[in-house]
Amino acid sequence: MSKKGFSDLKKEVIDVGLCTSCGICVGICASKAIVIDYKKDEPEPKLIGDCISCEMCYDICPGKDIPLPKLDKYFFGRERDFEKDKLGIYRYCGKGYTENEDIKGGSTSGGIISSLLICALEEGIIDAAIIVGWRKDEPWRCKPYIATNREEVLQGVRGGMMIVPVNELLYKAIVDEKYNKIAVVGLPCHIHGIRKLQICGVSKRIANSIKLTFGLFCSATYYWEGTKHLLQEFGKIKNIDSIRAMDYRGGEKPGGLYVLTKDGKIRFVASKHDYTWHMLGAATYKRDRCLMCVDFTAELADISCGDIFQDIDYKEKQWVATLIRTKIGEELIKLAIDKKYINFTEHNADLIPASGMGWEAKKHAGVYRLLQRKKYGWPTPDYGYDISESPLPRDIKFPK
């Protein structure tokens, strides 16, 4: 029986719309035969060398399946009840914000992850982190990069609302640049790929070098085409090449999309409310694969973080909801508190499902859509659990 290779991955995942563009196939390919191609605007894996059919990219890909029961048991000690463990398995739910004014002023929310990364680097827990920042050659797009100090971490604050193949840098960071203790900041799909890598028993050097995973709450990512329409139709920016810099959270909190053009002008494009609720955040430009995802709170990460929409001095302190899921995550939080990197306190976990769009998109709409697609025999990811959806008795809070 022949082994699976990239051709199988392309046929069974990429060509049927199941690829998450997480980049894990690139990040573990020892032959360096796979790259991320942007020719069709969206990042997509492409074979540029000889595939040796080692099966790694096929087995580790989170596009077609995420064996949640196995992953839950391996990383958290038990399987979940899909309905009752609505946030996944976790040890503690808190809320916090950075104690660093520079981070607080430039972060998307409360700067918790940036501060935790800096703490982990400065205390020797990790020697590098893979995060997202803006590209220099195309400043309207984002890319993953490797951060090794405070200054480099700060370059990654306030990234864009687009999918970035974060995991493509795993091989470069660990094998080429020889970092032995790394952290990865990603969306649920990025963490899915990393956790599959860590239980598969392949590429052990890469798997064992990933010491920390930070997951971001995610309702969806969006096609770049949607941002292009925002820029050209809302912002009246005819030529994308005229953009020098972008900021999705510029101005007063919660911010809006601002663009700096090469003529030195700062242009307001749309408020966060408008581009989230009336353009990108509606199903209009959500990536299709995101519509089948059932993970809102990055349920497999060591630490998961996301916005809080309830009125708890949010505008003043920018609290960030934080789910601590593992022992190493708990130890890092305690260290960061002791060393005064963050301010942290308890948070009511029941408020997270009341966050509105994100929860509804993943745990209800995403689940229902997945079940509908299965009903008609369309390609769908397999999460391992018998999943179902039903309304919850909750007080939904939509941001104003």
Side-chain angles (χ1 to χ4, degrees):
M1 184 176 178
S2 61
K3 288 188 173 183
K4 298 281 189 178
F6 184 83
S7 60
D8 301 284
L9 188 73
K10 189 173 189 303
K11 179 181 178 181
E12 298 178 33
V13 179
I14 300 169
D15 288 349
V16 296
L18 293 181
C19 177
T20 66
S21 298
C22 75
I24 194 77
C25 55
V26 179
I28 52 90
C29 182
S31 302
K32 297 186 178 181
I34 311 172
V35 297
I36 296 294
D37 181 24
Y38 284 86
K39 287 184 179 177
K40 297 178 181 178
D41 256 355
E42 293 299 305
E44 186 174 283
K46 176 183 178 182
L47 189 69
I48 61 166
D50 294 327
C51 176
I52 62 173
S53 296
C54 67
E55 296 194 319
M56 284 200 298
C57 67
Y58 183 86
D59 289 343
I60 294 167
C61 174
K64 64 186 186 309
D65 69 281
I66 304 96
L68 288 178
K70 183 178 180 180
L71 293 166
D72 282 343
K73 197 166 184 179
Y74 185 88
F75 291 103
F76 311 122
R78 68 174 176 87
E79 294 184 14
R80 77 181 74 176
D81 181 308
F82 193 81
E83 289 290 337
K84 293 180 180 178
D85 294 313
K86 50 186 177 293
L87 301 173
I89 299 167
Y90 64 94
R91 295 178 172 218
Y92 182 81
C93 181
K95 62 186 178 185
Y97 56 87
T98 181
E99 291 282 26
N100 186 297
E101 292 299 325
D102 292 336
I103 297 175
K104 188 182 297 183
S107 65
T108 300
S109 297
I112 280 286
I113 291 182
S114 296
S115 288
L116 291 175
L117 285 175
I118 292 170
C119 175
L121 284 167
E122 294 181 346
E123 298 298 323
I125 298 170
I126 60 172
D127 49 22
I130 300 177
I131 60 178
V132 171
W134 293 97
R135 293 176 57 162
K136 292 182 179 179
D137 58 334
E138 295 181 348
W140 51 89
R141 300 293 294 255
C142 291
K143 71 169 187 176
Y145 71 93
I146 301 167
T148 60
N149 55 50
R150 176 185 292 261
E151 290 70 29
E152 290 172 348
V153 168
L154 294 181
Q155 292 175 24
V157 299
R158 285 163 61 157
M161 298 175 68
M162 61 194 77
I163 190 62
V164 180
V166 172
N167 294 340
E168 70 171 322
L169 289 188
L170 290 173
Y171 193 95
K172 180 181 178 182
I174 296 164
V175 180
D176 291 344
E177 300 193 11
K178 296 180 172 51
Y179 294 114
N180 297 315
K181 301 178 295 182
I182 73 165
V184 179
V185 181
L187 302 175
C189 54
H190 299 117
I191 310 302
H192 295 164
I194 288 172
R195 292 311 200 191
K196 286 190 70 176
L197 167 64
Q198 290 177 320
I199 67 167
C200 274
V202 298
S203 196
K204 290 185 178 180
R205 180 178 176 185
I206 294 177
N208 293 338
S209 295
I210 304 171
K211 302 301 183 184
L212 276 166
T213 56
F214 296 90
L216 305 172
F217 293 6
C218 178
S219 63
T221 56
Y222 310 98
Y223 291 119
W224 161 245
E225 186 68 20
T227 299
K228 187 188 298 182
H229 280 255
L230 266 176
L231 295 169
Q232 294 183 330
E233 296 178 6
F234 282 64
K236 309 303 180 186
I237 299 171
K238 296 181 180 179
N239 183 6
I240 299 297
D241 290 330
S242 68
I243 295 173
R244 182 184 294 174
M246 282 176 45
D247 188 348
Y248 279 90
R249 290 286 191 97
E252 294 185 5
K253 303 295 181 184
L257 176 56
Y258 286 81
V259 170
L260 172 65
T261 50
K262 291 179 180 177
D263 58 8
K265 295 181 179 179
I266 297 176
R267 301 167 186 264
F268 171 76
V269 177
S271 69
K272 183 179 184 297
H273 173 90
D274 286 344
Y275 72 65
T276 298
W277 294 87
H278 301 302
M279 188 71 170
L280 298 179
T284 319
Y285 285 105
K286 283 184 178 179
R287 284 172 56 89
D288 192 72
R289 178 59 177 79
C290 296
L291 298 177
M292 294 180 278
C293 179
V294 301
D295 186 347
F296 170 52
T297 58
E299 295 161 355
L300 297 178
D302 292 299
I303 298 174
S304 306
C305 296
D307 284 334
I308 293 175
F309 295 112
Q310 287 78 24
D311 294 329
I312 52 170
D313 297 327
Y314 172 76
K315 290 184 178 180
E316 179 183 346
K317 295 180 179 177
Q318 297 174 248
W319 293 99
V320 177
T322 305
L323 293 164
I324 306 167
R325 303 186 186 276
T326 62
K327 182 180 179 181
I328 190 172
E330 190 172 49
E331 290 172 348
L332 177 60
I333 290 285
K334 288 180 179 178
L335 180 64
I337 295 170
D338 291 342
K339 297 286 185 177
K340 300 191 183 306
Y341 283 90
I342 62 173
N343 185 298
F344 200 75
T345 188
E346 187 178 4
H347 183 55
N348 181 0
D350 290 337
L351 293 177
I352 294 176
S355 63
M357 184 181 68
W359 175 268
E360 196 68 24
K362 288 294 187 74
K363 288 300 185 183
H364 289 166
V367 171
Y368 184 75
R369 186 175 285 102
L370 183 68
L371 295 173
Q372 285 292 301
R373 292 186 178 201
K374 281 187 177 182
K375 174 182 174 181
Y376 294 111
W378 297 1
T380 57
D382 181 5
Y383 291 96
Y385 286 114
D386 290 329
I387 60 175
S388 61
E389 69 82 33
S390 58
L392 291 175
R394 62 196 177 115
D395 181 18
I396 298 179
K397 299 294 184 183
F398 293 105
K400 297 178 181 179

